[in-house]
Amino acid sequence: MHKNFKGIEKTVFGRGSFGQLGEIIAPHRSENNGYMVFIVDNYFKGKELEGRLPVQAEDTVYFIDVDPHEPTTEQIDTLRDEIMATKGLPSGIIGIGGGAIMDIAKCVSLMVTNEGSSTLYQGLNLIKKPGIYHVGVPTISGTGAEVSMTAVLTGPEKKLGLKCEWTVFNQVVLDPELIATVPRDWWFYVGMDTYIHCIESENGQFNNAYSHAYAEQSMKLCRDIYLGETAGQTAENDDKLMVASLMGGLSLTYSEVGICHAISYGLSKILGMRHCYSNCIAFNHLQDYYPEGVAEFKQMVAQHNITLPQGLSKDWTDEQINAMAHVSYNLDHMWNHAVGYDWREKVTIEDIEAIFRRL
Ligand code: NAD
Ligand code: ZN
């Protein structure tokens, strides 16, 4: 069976396009109880962007600090309950921020129409009813969260996305001006998330002409942004990074991620390491699996004087390494793609532990 995916309904791209947000959401203002909920990264509180939010008197704005932890099921349930108790069903949800805010906005849009805790819906196609109109305005580019059909939540039992067609944004606003202030090291890690999405999407059995076309173009943009004379955090490259992130996300949607993400999930789940950073830590040591990609990645690391820590595993216990290897091993779809349907005959828990010991 071939995957049959739903994409973003509407996309606006360009410098200053954030200024069109008010006009874009206006036709939806009469839906449900006639007010919009803005969910904005706390970084923008008191900044110029706050004054540019197209907020009307009836609307509600939440500023959320995403740094203490990645989005949790408890956080989503509390926010949903507060929204519903205050003014009832909103006309729409507008998320403005990085991957964490994209995921919060997607989840809240689903949870205002689906009863009970978000823990009930972690997994594929468990959501029962369509959510409400929701808009994503990324202020960091790289994870592809703006285009994906999943919204990752950490719950008491599992770290797993609410994944279904209704998760996908109805509208995204891609304004490269919004990513200009991303700190340099984070700009590097998130961009590498895009680059790794492409390398992994390309190197595996689910790669196809459709995913390849997106990966090829996205990697070309990554090279402009991170390699050679045109490299650097410039306005022109920010335009390119926004598009690269979107295309990298589309590539993996129609193909799959691979070994780096399988290892990275282990690091995030057991050690709480952030997604893009843990990808960089893992990819740096995956030359046996992705020789050309890792060689080029190392050139980018060197060009931007990024220091990736080495020898981390000497501080990890055998139990931690074993637990991380099990998290990776259970990501069947990633190993299927990267190694083949018979991957269990070729890769053992011990082999995966050996990868963690290299880090
Ligand atoms: P983030 O949302 O975690 O934000 C990182 C930091 O950047 C925060 O301190 C934030 O306040 C700050 N920030 C945001 N915009 C800024 C700006 N313009 N200028 C300066 N600082 C800014 O970052 P991320 O890496 O984009 O997202 C990571 C999250 O995305 C994780 O929660 C992860 O689980 C999730 N994720 C989701 C998907 C998906 O498909 N849904 C895929 C990968 C990762
Ligand atoms: Zn990723």
Side-chain angles (χ1 to χ4, degrees):
M1 271 289 267
H2 296 287
K3 293 182 191 172
N4 186 12
F5 274 103
K6 180 167 176 287
I8 303 164
E9 280 164 27
K10 297 188 93 174
T11 305
V12 56
F13 169 79
R15 300 201 149 251
S17 58
F18 182 73
Q20 289 170 233
L21 181 60
E23 194 183 308
I24 287 169
I25 61 177
H28 298 275
R29 284 190 168 278
S30 55
E31 288 163 23
N32 304 323
N33 288 2
Y35 75 104
M36 291 286 172
V37 173
F38 290 78
I39 299 178
V40 186
D41 193 304
N42 203 42
Y43 168 80
F44 294 104
K45 180 124 190 79
K47 302 255 182 359
E48 187 238 348
L49 189 92
E50 184 181 357
R52 295 175 60 207
L53 295 174
V55 175
Q56 296 193 355
E58 62 276 18
D59 297 343
T60 315
V61 183
Y62 292 91
F63 284 98
I64 295 186
D65 184 356
V66 299
D67 285 329
H69 50 73
E70 292 191 338
T72 66
T73 50
E74 195 189 344
Q75 180 184 20
I76 297 299
D77 296 350
T78 308
L79 188 54
R80 182 269 315 268
D81 292 348
E82 196 178 319
I83 290 169
M84 294 303 281
T86 319
K87 290 185 183 167
L89 196 61
S91 310
I93 309 282
I94 297 120
I96 304 173
I101 295 285
M102 295 296 100
D103 283 357
I104 294 172
K106 288 173 176 180
C107 287
V108 171
S109 78
L110 294 169
M111 291 310 301
V112 289
T113 55
N114 285 274
E115 288 84 31
S117 167
S118 50
T119 54
L120 298 170
Y121 306 110
Q122 284 180 283
L124 179 62
N125 292 334
L126 300 177
I127 287 279
K128 296 194 170 60
K129 298 176 199 161
I132 60 169
Y133 176 72
H134 54 304
V135 180
V137 185
T139 65
I140 299 188
S141 290
T143 64
E146 67 278 18
V147 68
S148 77
M149 60 184 290
T150 189
V152 185
L153 288 183
T154 305
E157 279 164 33
K158 47 196 168 188
K159 180 177 175 179
L160 196 61
L162 308 192
K163 189 170 183 181
C164 70
E165 291 201 346
W166 297 314
T167 312
V168 183
F169 282 115
N170 298 100
Q171 168 86 53
V172 293
V173 176
L174 303 177
D175 183 344
E177 284 178 3
L178 304 184
I179 66 171
T181 50
V182 173
R184 203 185 69 94
D185 54 349
W186 206 253
W187 164 81
F188 186 83
Y189 304 140
V190 288
M192 290 305 105
D193 193 23
T194 289
Y195 179 77
I196 295 165
H197 289 159
C198 298
I199 296 289
E200 293 189 305
S201 168
E202 290 277 82
N203 289 282
Q205 63 165 330
F206 302 135
N207 184 32
N208 56 71
Y210 195 105
S211 60
H212 168 65
Y214 281 119
E216 190 174 49
Q217 185 60 33
S218 178
M219 282 193 292
K220 180 180 175 301
L221 293 168
C222 287
R223 289 179 189 122
D224 290 351
I225 302 162
Y226 294 101
L227 268 185
E229 284 173 17
T230 57
Q233 206 172 0
T234 61
E236 196 183 326
N237 282 341
D238 283 348
D239 287 11
K240 292 181 176 178
L241 183 55
M242 245 179 178
V243 179
S245 172
L246 190 85
M247 290 193 159
L250 287 167
S251 179
L252 76 86
T253 297
Y254 289 93
S255 174
E256 191 49 86
V257 287
I259 298 171
C260 182
H261 275 71
I263 299 296
S264 165
Y265 272 50
L267 294 168
S268 294
K269 174 87 177 129
I270 305 300
L271 304 176
M273 234 183 237
R274 288 192 169 238
H275 179 77
C276 303
Y277 182 66
S278 54
N279 273 338
C280 290
I281 298 285
F283 199 60
N284 204 24
H285 292 277
L286 291 176
Q287 60 278 3
D288 295 353
Y289 298 93
Y290 305 109
E292 288 165 19
V294 174
E296 192 165 57
F297 168 79
K298 287 187 174 175
Q299 282 177 30
M300 299 190 210
V301 169
Q303 176 155 350
H304 297 283
N305 296 317
I306 300 291
T307 310
L308 291 175
Q310 307 280 341
L312 289 172
S313 63
K314 70 177 181 330
D315 296 327
W316 301 338
T317 63
D318 288 343
E319 289 72 31
Q320 279 177 316
I321 291 174
N322 184 260
M324 289 194 277
H326 275 93
V327 172
S328 297
Y329 191 81
N330 288 332
L331 294 163
D332 187 56
H333 52 297
M334 299 183 192
W335 295 102
N336 262 347
H337 169 57
V339 183
Y341 285 119
D342 59 349
W343 70 271
R344 281 199 181 79
E345 289 159 30
K346 296 177 179 160
V347 183
T348 64
I349 286 280
E350 290 72 30
D351 295 332
I352 302 176
E353 285 183 346
I355 298 177
F356 281 102
R357 287 186 200 283
R358 280 191 217 165
L359 308 184

